[in-house]
Amino acid sequence: MGEYGIVPGQRVAIIWDSSSPVEALKDLVDKIQALVGADNRVSVENVNQLSQSAHKESGFDVILSGMVPGSTAQHSAEVLAEIARILKPGGCVLLKELVATESGNNSRIKTAAKLVTALTLSGLVEVKELQKEALNPEEAQSVQEHLGYQNNDLLIVQIEGKKPNFEVGSSSQLRLSFAKKPVTSGKPSVDSATAKLWTLSASDMNDEEMDLLDSDELLDSDDLKKPDPSSLRAPSCKETGKKKACKNCTCGLAEELEQEKKSAQPKSACGNCYLGDAFRCASCPYLGMPAFKPGEKILLKENQLHDA
């Protein structure tokens, strides 16, 4: 069995983030491709674009996330859930993340124990901590540049987890007995005291002793005022302050946003589109095109213009 437990023929996903050094990412991709062989069995995805990549369910044998040397990736609950979804039953996840020490006071970064819990809640099993080490100078500089934190009370932890040997939502038939029970003759006996407790007759209600509420007293003067018609009108999309059209927009904002979308130029979400297909997300508008120089103007056909 090769490095990271990878064997030839397996499908592997490598997840990186903005803190991952480009050269280190390329070296890791080349190393994994050499282990699994040809036939495009290695996919490279940006952690922020993973949920938009539309990978099919249970498509990868091994997922490496944050494993690029020098990376200080953070994994949200949504990212961990997506990793569990695209991993095959019995598949393995190797994950590295920046964590806070138990004695630290950084509430914005998870501790190693909380990271293990988050992986378990995402649907993985046999989650265990493999190693924990202090930040090296390269990682400390990356934390300062991308997260703005000092390296005090921060560690890098490597964790392994597996997906159960069954699909999420799978079912199994239960053996239940639907044989009819014998019916006893006659009605069940009822205690007379119990029956009397739940019986209400006309003699139990004395109108002179009952206080009835006047419904008019429940309304005050403000309730009787006629509302201003302008206050009953639903606000338009623009008046809500949100740059998003309603489902049944009639104020013209939907058409305005659609025009902006058509006239907008494609923008790289990860910043590494120029390196080639191995470093492009599944939704990248440059997918299938050769590598190009950073800043070089690339003309795309109209059918290639979509959200990256």
Side-chain angles (χ1 to χ4, degrees):
M1 184 174 290
E3 191 173 0
Y4 306 116
I6 298 173
V7 298
Q10 287 185 323
R11 292 206 66 214
V12 180
I14 299 176
I15 302 174
W16 59 280
D17 74 321
S18 58
S19 67
S20 304
V22 175
E23 291 301 323
L25 175 60
K26 293 176 67 175
D27 291 342
L28 179 61
V29 172
D30 293 340
K31 182 187 297 184
I32 301 303
Q33 285 179 335
L35 289 174
V36 300
D39 301 331
N40 296 324
R41 293 188 171 273
V42 178
S43 294
V44 183
E45 290 293 346
N46 182 277
V47 67
N48 296 321
Q49 299 296 316
L50 182 61
S51 58
Q52 283 79 38
S53 298
H55 288 292
K56 67 178 183 179
E57 188 173 343
S58 304
F60 295 98
D61 299 285
V62 179
I63 296 179
L64 306 178
S65 185
M67 298 297 293
V68 180
S71 172
T72 55
Q74 295 285 292
H75 301 83
S76 65
E78 292 76 12
V79 169
L80 295 178
E82 181 66 10
I83 288 175
R85 187 188 70 84
I86 64 177
L87 187 64
K88 289 183 179 180
C92 179
V93 174
L94 283 174
L95 177 146
K96 269 190 177 182
E97 182 167 330
L98 181 74
V99 298
T101 61
E102 297 293 340
S103 60
N105 55 4
N106 195 327
S107 60
R108 297 180 59 186
I109 299 181
K110 296 187 288 288
T111 63
K114 289 183 178 180
L115 179 57
V116 170
T117 300
L119 284 163
T120 303
L121 292 176
S122 69
L124 301 180
V125 297
E126 300 182 31
V127 180
K128 58 184 178 181
E129 181 182 315
L130 298 182
Q131 67 180 29
K132 186 187 297 180
E133 57 190 10
L135 276 66
N136 58 38
E138 184 181 19
E139 292 168 339
Q141 182 179 358
S142 179
V143 169
Q144 180 68 29
E145 291 178 356
H146 296 90
L147 301 178
Y149 298 141
Q150 299 294 334
N151 62 345
N152 299 332
D153 301 323
L154 297 178
L155 300 169
I156 291 290
V157 64
Q158 181 174 333
I159 294 179
E160 179 187 62
K162 295 182 179 180
K163 187 172 181 177
N165 287 314
F166 54 82
E167 291 286 3
V168 175
S170 59
S171 60
S172 178
Q173 185 176 1
L174 300 177
R175 295 183 179 181
L176 302 176
S177 176
F178 294 96
K180 294 184 178 180
K181 298 181 179 180
V183 180
T184 57
S185 59
K187 295 183 179 180
S189 59
V190 179
D191 182 47
S192 58
T194 304
K196 184 178 180 181
L197 180 65
W198 292 100
T199 302
L200 183 65
S201 65
S203 60
D204 293 327
M205 299 182 63
N206 189 342
D207 293 342
E208 296 180 357
E209 297 179 357
M210 296 188 64
D211 295 329
L212 299 179
L213 292 176
D214 185 357
S215 59
D216 292 335
E217 294 180 356
L218 300 176
L219 302 175
D220 55 26
S221 58
D222 292 335
D223 295 325
L224 300 176
K225 291 181 181 179
K226 186 177 181 180
D228 184 5
S230 62
S231 65
L232 302 177
R233 182 178 60 85
S236 66
C237 305
K238 297 180 180 179
E239 291 174 343
T240 60
K242 298 181 179 179
K243 193 65 173 178
K244 184 178 181 182
C246 302
K247 183 178 181 181
N248 299 317
C249 178
T250 58
C251 67
L253 182 59
E255 290 80 2
E256 181 181 336
L257 294 177
E258 183 65 25
Q259 186 63 32
E260 290 180 2
K261 183 177 179 181
K262 289 182 179 179
S263 60
Q265 293 296 321
K267 184 179 179 181
S268 173
C270 60
N272 283 335
C273 299
Y274 69 92
L275 294 173
D277 280 353
F279 302 91
R280 292 169 181 164
C281 307
S283 57
C284 182
Y286 302 101
L287 201 62
M289 300 181 65
F292 54 88
K293 296 180 180 179
E296 181 180 354
K297 185 176 181 181
I298 303 298
L299 297 179
L300 299 176
K301 297 180 180 179
E302 185 176 356
N303 60 1
Q304 291 178 288
L305 295 177
H306 56 79
D307 292 336

